[in-house]
Amino acid sequence: MTGELERQTVKVGILGVGSVTQVVHLPMFSERSDVQITALSDPDRLKAEALATRFDVPHVLSNEEILSHDDVQAAVICTPNHLHESLAVEALERGKHVLVERPLALSAGGVRRVLDAAAAAGRHLAVGLNQRFRPDAEALAAFVAGGELGDIYAVRANSLTRMPAVRSAWRQNPEEAGGGALMDLGVPILDLAFWLVGYPRITRVTAVFQDGETEVEEAATVFAVSDSGIAFSVEVNWNLVAEKDRHHCRVMGVEGSGSLPPLDIHKQLMGRPMNVTPRQPKARGGEGRYQNAYRRLLDQFVRAVLGETDVPAAVEQIHLMEVIAAAYRSAREGREIHLDED
């Protein structure tokens, strides 16, 4: 990474003050001594001003003003999905380090353009895929990478949520969101499923959607097969009828299996299944998995901007968005999609 910062405080501008900004970025950045939130932007200026007052942020500006502000070193993009690509590219071209909420872009081509902009600018680019930063996910991924579970043949995952009383209007608009439950919940859970087993190349995709009262899908079931023969089955739902939300992932191998949450790993030892689940660190103050994983993600980003570590290039997001596009095509055409099709 070119250049070293003269100051040991990262000045951050946050574009968009929706729920993830309010729950994650504002409180977590505000409590860090090495971060100063310099400015906020949002179409709802009154909400942005109220949050600026609450978190002692000195400026409420437009997106353009934040990206052109000399004091802003890092841009955190939390806008509707269709703006992610263009804002990330503009921020990078203006010399900012960038953290983008997922999806990085709405297409594989868009992801490539953002990655190219980051490489050309010599700036860090992070994506808000906090699931990868969960200690239980890291532990399970390590067992898989070490061959402890033998050859992997299947991964099952779901992200099922109850419909909130009020859902952001833009999430129900296909032009702004890029899709419904699959784009919202499917991007992070598919990324986790693929990441746990080393992000294999997917060759075949089949998807079935459940439509709701809006223009986007309320639920989706996706089946995918890798070139190495791993079968993935993923379900997402915005309108689960149950007592609580459900988020689960299981990896199955010929010599063992692992699932989360809670982390549970068994493998064959001396001809019988044995529990080999490692102890897990407890989040501070009883903090939940979601918030704690985000805290670890933000810590990596801040330390990278300060020159203390690096952020791996998000090249897997190209293939992820190819799979997402294939799933939408499969649901639309009612057939299996081969990713090598023209």
Side-chain angles (χ1 to χ4, degrees), residues 14-164:
I14 302 178
L15 288 67
V17 294
S19 58
V20 70
T21 296
Q22 297 176 47
V23 172
V24 174
H25 299 298
L26 278 170
M28 292 186 185
F29 279 137
S30 294
E31 69 183 29
R32 294 185 66 111
S33 61
D34 55 1
V35 172
Q36 178 185 340
I37 305 174
T38 300
L40 304 177
S41 67
D42 196 88
D44 188 341
R45 189 175 180 88
L46 289 177
K47 179 168 68 173
E49 288 175 344
L51 289 165
T53 299
R54 177 181 171 188
F55 288 95
D56 197 26
V57 179
H59 303 292
V60 174
L61 306 171
S62 67
N63 291 342
E64 175 64 24
E65 287 170 332
I66 287 181
L67 297 185
S68 61
H69 202 295
D70 290 339
D71 275 351
V72 173
Q73 300 162 297
V76 178
I77 299 172
C78 307
T79 61
N81 295 345
H82 71 300
L83 299 174
H84 288 185
E85 176 190 341
S86 60
L87 289 173
V89 169
E90 182 178 355
L92 291 162
E93 289 178 345
R94 290 176 178 269
K96 314 300 184 189
H97 301 278
V98 174
L99 190 161
V100 189
E101 278 303 325
R102 42 75 177 168
L104 179 53
L106 291 179
S107 68
V111 172
R112 288 190 184 94
R113 286 187 285 273
V114 179
L115 292 174
D116 288 346
R123 292 293 182 266
H124 291 290
L125 171 66
V127 186
L129 293 164
N130 65 310
Q131 300 270 31
R132 296 183 179 198
F133 289 80
R134 290 168 44 173
D136 56 351
E138 292 175 337
L140 180 52
F143 269 80
V144 172
E148 300 285 337
L149 306 184
D151 291 337
I152 304 301
Y153 63 85
V155 181
R156 297 175 182 170
N158 59 56
S159 184
L160 313 175
T161 65
R162 297 161 295 163
M163 178 66 81

Side-chain angles (χ1 to χ4, degrees), residues 5 12 47 95 97 114 146 201 268 279 286:
L5 296 177
V12 171
K47 179 168 68 173
H97 301 278
V114 179
R201 179 75 186 173
Q268 288 280 6
R279 287 180 174 270

Side-chain angles (χ1 to χ4, degrees), residues 55-340:
F55 288 95
D56 197 26
V57 179
H59 303 292
V60 174
L61 306 171
S62 67
N63 291 342
E64 175 64 24
E65 287 170 332
I66 287 181
L67 297 185
S68 61
H69 202 295
D70 290 339
D71 275 351
V72 173
Q73 300 162 297
V76 178
I77 299 172
C78 307
T79 61
N81 295 345
H82 71 300
L83 299 174
H84 288 185
E85 176 190 341
S86 60
L87 289 173
V89 169
E90 182 178 355
L92 291 162
E93 289 178 345
R94 290 176 178 269
K96 314 300 184 189
H97 301 278
V98 174
L99 190 161
V100 189
E101 278 303 325
R102 42 75 177 168
L104 179 53
L106 291 179
S107 68
V111 172
R112 288 190 184 94
R113 286 187 285 273
V114 179
L115 292 174
D116 288 346
R123 292 293 182 266
H124 291 290
L125 171 66
V127 186
L129 293 164
N130 65 310
Q131 300 270 31
R132 296 183 179 198
F133 289 80
R134 290 168 44 173
D136 56 351
E138 292 175 337
L140 180 52
F143 269 80
V144 172
E148 300 285 337
L149 306 184
D151 291 337
I152 304 301
Y153 63 85
V155 181
R156 297 175 182 170
N158 59 56
S159 184
L160 313 175
T161 65
R162 297 161 295 163
M163 178 66 81
V166 178
R167 184 176 292 279
S168 300
W170 68 263
R171 290 195 183 279
Q172 301 179 20
N173 182 329
E175 285 73 33
E176 294 187 68
L182 180 60
M183 191 65 74
D184 181 29
L185 303 175
V187 166
I189 196 65
L190 277 167
D191 179 80
L192 177 64
F194 297 157
W195 177 79
L196 284 171
V197 295
Y199 243 98
R201 179 75 186 173
I202 301 300
T203 58
R204 295 182 282 140
V205 177
T206 304
V208 179
F209 289 177
Q210 174 62 46
D211 295 329
E213 298 178 356
T214 66
E215 297 181 70
V216 296
E217 74 281 358
E218 282 192 355
T221 301
V222 177
F223 303 97
V225 181
S226 76
D227 57 2
S228 57
I230 303 175
F232 295 85
S233 175
V234 174
E235 293 179 275
V236 295
N237 195 324
W238 268 350
N239 199 19
L240 176 67
V241 181
E243 181 181 357
K244 60 183 180 179
D245 297 348
R246 301 186 186 279
H247 307 278
H248 187 75
C249 189
R250 177 174 289 277
V251 176
M252 289 169 284
V254 296
E255 296 178 11
S257 70
S259 63
L260 54 87
L263 181 64
D264 181 84
I265 302 176
H266 283 71
K267 60 179 292 187
Q268 288 280 6
L269 290 173
M270 295 180 291
R272 57 185 295 182
M274 298 289 290
N275 189 333
V276 292
T277 307
R279 287 180 174 270
Q280 290 293 286
K282 292 184 178 180
R284 66 178 197 176
E287 189 173 55
R289 296 184 188 92
Y290 176 86
Q291 287 86 355
N292 182 256
Y294 251 116
R295 188 180 300 282
R296 290 155 59 91
L297 185 160
L298 297 187
D299 182 67
Q300 182 192 67
F301 179 65
V302 171
R303 291 191 298 110
V305 175
L306 290 171
E308 299 171 4
T309 188
D310 203 355
V311 176
V315 293
E316 303 103 332
Q317 299 308 295
I318 297 172
H319 190 46
L320 175 63
M321 297 315 295
E322 291 174 340
V323 174
I324 292 290
Y328 276 102
R329 183 179 175 187
S330 172
R332 186 171 60 251
E333 299 181 4
R335 67 182 181 92
E336 181 179 73
I337 302 298
H338 290 249
L339 268 68
D340 58 0

